[in-house]
Amino acid sequence: MSKFIQLHLLTSYPPANLNRDDLGRPKTAMMGGANRLRVSSQSLKRAWRTSDIFRSALTDHLGVRTKEMGRDIYQQLLEKGVKDQAAFSYAQAIANVFGKLKTLSKKEKADADENKRQTELEIEQLAHFSPEEQQAITKLIDELANGDDAPSDEQLALLRKQHTAADIALFGRMLASSPAYNTEAAAQVAHAISVHKVAVEDDFFTAVDDLNSGEEDMGAAHMGETEFAAGLFYLYLCIDRELLIENLSNDSALADKTLAALIESAATIAPSGKQNSFASRARASYILCEKGNQQPRSLSVAFLKPIGGNDLLAQSIQNINETVKKMDQVYGACADRRCSLNAETGEGSLQDIIECISGD
Amino acid sequence: MQSYLLFRLYGPMAAWGDTAVGEFRPSHDHPTRTATLGLVAAALGIRRDQEETLLSLDRSINVAIRLDAPGEVLRDYHTTQVPPVQRKVIHYTRQDELNAGKLHTILSSRDYRCDCAATIALRCKKNRNFSLNEISEALAYPKLPLYLGRKSCPLSLPLAAIIIDANRLTEAFDQYPDPQSELDTLTHGLWGFGGLNKEKVTRLYWDSDETNLSPEMTYPRRDRLRSRRRWQFDERIEYMATQSATED
């Protein structure tokens, strides 16, 4: 079995400010003595973990996206003979597992008709319910209808077992207060660093007051500065597949789904920072996947000397491949198996990469 | 003759944690003994809760560090959104935490070192539970992912660990295959031309009496492991000497 899965991605972002420091400037780092644009590891992980892809990719994309599952559960409980008040609170407890519930103010509650009253069974945001989760809910409804007790914490926790497990298994958990629940993250994500030198630019902007007639004061209503830069980023991930499977209680099928979710989000999800001002969503242009038991290493030295010239992407892909070859020559094979995707030439596919990383 | 296990630490970003209280998480300018032993422990597959084994590793090995390039400091402004602590509320995933509403923000300032490179020499004390061969093998095929102080700082070159027999520490360092030659092939000569090492001197750090080396500076460090579980550390002495770069 290959223990380590290493992913090398090249993603080009147009002018953007994806990840900012305390002054609102895009984050940077020095590499090879030159200033580079940077998107921090934690920023990337947050974007992936909160993406829809991450949630639905764990469950073959089928399922329902709804706010109204709570209403449905309430009806089912009533039909199975559960008393109204109990059915309402059980449905709330179950729906609450999938998202924060809407609440009515006291005044709204007093005036509410039946339909309005049931708003408190709804989730504030759309939630995705996988087929497995829907089955678990149906099972729980039966159990509740046949017993007298409210759903226990354990019963509720079971509804989301897969997602909780996958999220924590990949990215870890540290609870200073109860170390027994600590989990060592199976995925290592490096800060994404631009392959080229970068100078952060300032956009000086003014906003006009549309109702200002200009008779007294012709000035702008607001002035400000936004800093931004564009970059072709090198991103590196290393997943300890053995540790991932261990974290998932030896469920290697779930480990494969989790890996597929991770690679799909890493390839397609951009951090949400300043997306409304820059719309800088991008997908990976190149992905190299490596499997093996050898000591993992990133390929950042391919860009230690900043890439220049007019064809950054082609040059970067070439540098990656050369570095892989030379490192193998100098140190012996650094991986057992490799596969790649190139969106510039149209070679390979995300599906190929997912197939490559799943299984032993 | 003494046997030393030499290997190299390089990555574009690293963090060599100093005493950190609260929101400021500083970094030393050179790899620390604890970071190095942590990396070795990870390679051997020793988990964080294996207190006895970690103590035994700490007591079995002497660590010497040659700082080839100290790099530059990077201060990262880090924010984390967390939901308020409520009993009985379970957040199943990170997404759920962020949907909880009324989020708090935890601020921290985290130091990294960019363009930092170092060579490490390990020596096993007599009659101990670990052997250099075993560690060397583990570094080539590690049991857990390795990193330079923080998990987001992966290694960017193979460690290239080898055992060298030498009469003294400096001799062992001198015999370690010149990292500049390998780096040259990979980095288009940048390293060799002093692109990363801006200092005219190389610093050496070690943790025990090396009779052949005279320290220019000694100072106490409170990082000798007593109990990892209780996060307790004893004081020890660290030694430092400089070598001018031309001697290498």
Side-chain angles (χ1 to χ4, degrees):
Chain A
M1 169 169 151
S2 296
K3 182 171 171 58
F4 295 111
I5 294 166
Q6 300 182 79
L7 293 164
H8 312 269
L9 293 90
L10 289 170
T11 310
S12 170
Y13 286 100
N17 191 350
L18 295 166
N19 183 210
R20 327 190 266 284
D21 66 11
D22 44 345
L23 301 174
R25 286 168 61 82
K27 285 187 176 180
T28 55
M30 296 294 280
M31 185 166 85
N35 200 34
R36 315 295 181 103
L37 208 55
R38 173 170 66 97
V39 177
S40 70
S41 164
Q42 54 272 12
S43 163
L44 293 163
K45 286 183 288 195
R46 177 186 162 121
W48 301 340
R49 294 174 80 172
T50 57
S51 68
D52 274 356
I53 286 182
F54 198 78
R55 186 149 163 58
S56 55
L58 283 171
T59 53
D60 58 22
H61 295 276
L62 292 172
V64 217
R65 285 162 56 85
T66 177
K67 293 179 179 182
E68 299 191 4
M69 188 59 89
R71 285 176 184 256
D72 193 48
I73 296 167
Y74 172 61
Q75 288 306 332
Q76 286 190 51
L77 283 167
L78 286 181
E79 279 162 27
K80 291 194 190 285
V82 179
K83 291 202 177 97
D84 181 77
Q85 209 180 351
F88 200 85
S89 74
Y90 297 174
Q92 276 189 317
I94 296 172
N96 192 39
V97 171
F98 295 86
K100 196 180 180 225
L101 299 182
K102 290 182 184 167
T103 46
L104 296 175
S105 68
K106 266 194 186 147
K107 188 170 171 293
E108 283 173 326
K109 237 183 214 171
D111 304 339
D113 58 11
E114 179 54 27
N115 188 36
K116 182 83 177 173
R117 184 178 76 102
Q118 289 187 23
T119 318
E120 287 199 314
L121 292 170
E122 287 182 16
I123 302 169
E124 280 183 354
Q125 273 133 339
L126 273 178
H128 179 271
F129 294 81
S130 71
E132 291 93 339
E133 285 163 346
Q134 292 175 60
Q135 278 167 22
I137 291 173
T138 313
K139 194 166 151 250
L140 181 54
I141 288 173
D142 287 340
E143 283 169 20
L144 293 173
N146 295 329
D148 291 328
D149 296 328
S152 67
D153 289 350
E154 291 81 42
Q155 282 174 313
L156 292 174
L158 279 177
L159 298 176
R160 295 288 303 283
K161 195 165 166 252
Q162 272 210 330
H163 282 97
T164 314
D167 193 47
I168 305 296
L170 268 184
F171 301 111
R173 171 164 61 190
M174 209 208 75
L175 296 169
S177 53
S178 42
Y181 292 102
N182 286 359
T183 304
E184 186 71 32
Q188 176 179 32
V189 181
H191 297 243
I193 289 180
S194 71
V195 302
H196 50 81
K197 254 193 260 190
V198 81
V200 173
E201 295 179 72
D202 306 315
D203 179 27
F204 173 76
F205 67 89
T206 60
V208 175
D209 186 332
D210 289 340
L211 297 184
N212 181 358
S213 59
E215 281 164 16
E216 282 178 24
D217 177 11
M218 293 289 284
H222 175 78
M223 292 186 294
E225 240 177 17
T226 305
E227 282 158 299
F228 67 94
L232 173 60
F233 287 90
Y234 168 66
L235 168 62
Y236 171 75
L237 287 87
C238 172
I239 301 111
D240 182 341
R241 189 161 178 274
E242 247 173 49
L243 185 59
L244 181 67
I245 293 174
E246 184 191 315
N247 285 352
L248 292 170
S249 339
N250 298 319
D251 186 342
S252 59
L254 181 56
D256 284 342
K257 278 186 181 177
T258 306
L259 282 169
L262 177 66
I263 175 69
E264 196 178 342
S265 4
T268 59
I269 300 290
S272 57
K274 290 249 179 190
Q275 283 292 358
N276 288 348
S277 324
F278 290 102
S280 54
R281 301 188 189 279
R283 296 189 165 210
S285 298
Y286 181 79
I287 303 175
L288 171 67
C289 167
E290 298 183 301
K291 285 177 91 165
N293 295 317
Q294 297 89 338
Q295 178 228 312
R297 82 283 172 263
S298 99
L299 294 171
S300 71
V301 287
F303 312 111
L304 195 51
K305 186 178 179 185
I307 306 287
N310 291 326
D311 201 349
L312 289 179
L313 185 56
Q315 187 63 50
S316 302
I317 294 171
Q318 194 188 328
N319 276 26
I320 280 196
N321 288 316
E322 268 174 26
T323 304
V324 166
K325 214 172 87 193
K326 283 184 192 164
M327 259 198 212
D328 280 359
Q329 266 169 26
V330 175
Y331 298 101
C334 293
D336 295 331
R337 203 138 55 93
R338 298 192 167 102
C339 75
S340 64
L341 163 167
N342 187 336
E344 204 198 8
T345 56
E347 288 161 82
S349 72
L350 197 54
Q351 201 49 46
D352 292 346
I353 303 264
I354 290 173
E355 267 161 37
C356 174
I357 61 178
S358 48
D360 291 346
Chain B
M1 282 294 239
Q2 269 286 349
S3 288
Y4 295 92
L5 177 69
L6 279 93
F7 58 91
R8 177 190 47 213
L9 298 179
Y10 167 74
M13 287 171 75
W16 312 119
D18 196 347
T19 311
V21 180
E23 62 157 40
F24 181 45
R25 323 300 294 182
S27 165
H28 279 282
D29 68 351
H30 62 278
T32 53
R33 183 176 188 275
T34 42
T36 310
L37 285 179
L39 182 126
V40 171
L44 291 166
I46 308 172
R47 301 291 171 99
R48 296 181 199 278
D49 56 0
Q50 289 175 267
E51 176 135 349
E52 288 302 314
T53 324
L54 285 171
L55 257 178
S56 160
L57 180 71
D58 177 74
R59 301 294 187 260
S60 301
I61 288 174
N62 285 127
V63 181
I65 297 144
R66 183 182 74 190
L67 186 61
D68 298 317
E72 296 181 34
V73 67
L74 168 78
R75 189 153 296 172
D76 189 44
Y77 176 72
H78 184 131
T79 63
T80 313
Q81 283 189 299
V82 290
V85 179
Q86 287 170 284
R87 270 173 189 280
K88 293 194 172 179
V89 175
I90 305 168
H91 300 294
Y92 294 90
T93 62
R94 180 73 178 134
Q95 169 95 69
D96 292 347
E97 282 187 1
L98 296 173
N99 286 342
K102 287 189 191 152
L103 295 179
H104 301 301
T105 303
I106 296 175
L107 298 181
S108 60
S109 188
R110 299 173 182 230
D111 279 4
Y112 292 85
R113 304 294 302 189
C114 294
D115 285 342
C116 169
T119 307
I120 307 292
L122 304 183
R123 195 177 63 176
C124 270
K125 294 177 188 168
K126 285 199 181 81
N127 307 322
R128 294 294 175 164
N129 303 326
F130 297 90
S131 75
L132 293 182
N133 276 322
E134 179 190 358
I135 296 174
S136 176
E137 176 67 16
L139 291 176
Y141 295 92
K143 299 252 169 48
L144 289 167
L146 308 180
Y147 48 89
L148 303 169
R150 283 199 186 106
K151 205 148 194 169
S152 58
C153 304
L155 295 158
S156 287
L157 280 175
L159 291 157
I162 52 163
I163 295 172
I164 292 178
D165 292 322
N167 287 317
R168 33 190 230 165
L169 182 62
T170 44
E171 211 178 288
F173 273 126
D174 291 345
Q175 280 181 42
Y176 185 65
D178 183 7
Q180 295 188 354
S181 59
E182 290 157 13
L183 275 168
D184 258 2
T185 13
L186 292 166
T187 61
H188 318 281
L190 185 77
W191 196 293
F193 291 116
L196 293 189
N197 193 1
K198 295 198 175 91
E199 297 197 355
K200 294 274 190 304
V201 292
T202 307
R203 280 179 270 161
L204 272 187
Y205 297 87
W206 66 97
D207 62 0
S208 70
D209 286 323
E210 287 279 343
T211 43
N212 295 316
L213 268 170
S214 46
E216 290 165 30
M217 201 159 82
T218 62
Y219 46 91
R221 289 282 298 272
R222 186 170 283 279
D223 66 356
R224 184 180 153 88
L225 189 63
R226 186 193 291 176
S227 162
R228 202 193 171 281
R229 191 169 51 80
R230 295 197 298 271
W231 211 252
Q232 288 173 332
F233 299 90
D234 287 327
E235 214 163 77
R236 67 173 178 100
I237 301 291
E238 186 166 85
Y239 304 83
M240 196 273 278
T242 53
Q243 296 177 298
S244 65
T246 46
E247 273 176 26
D248 272 346

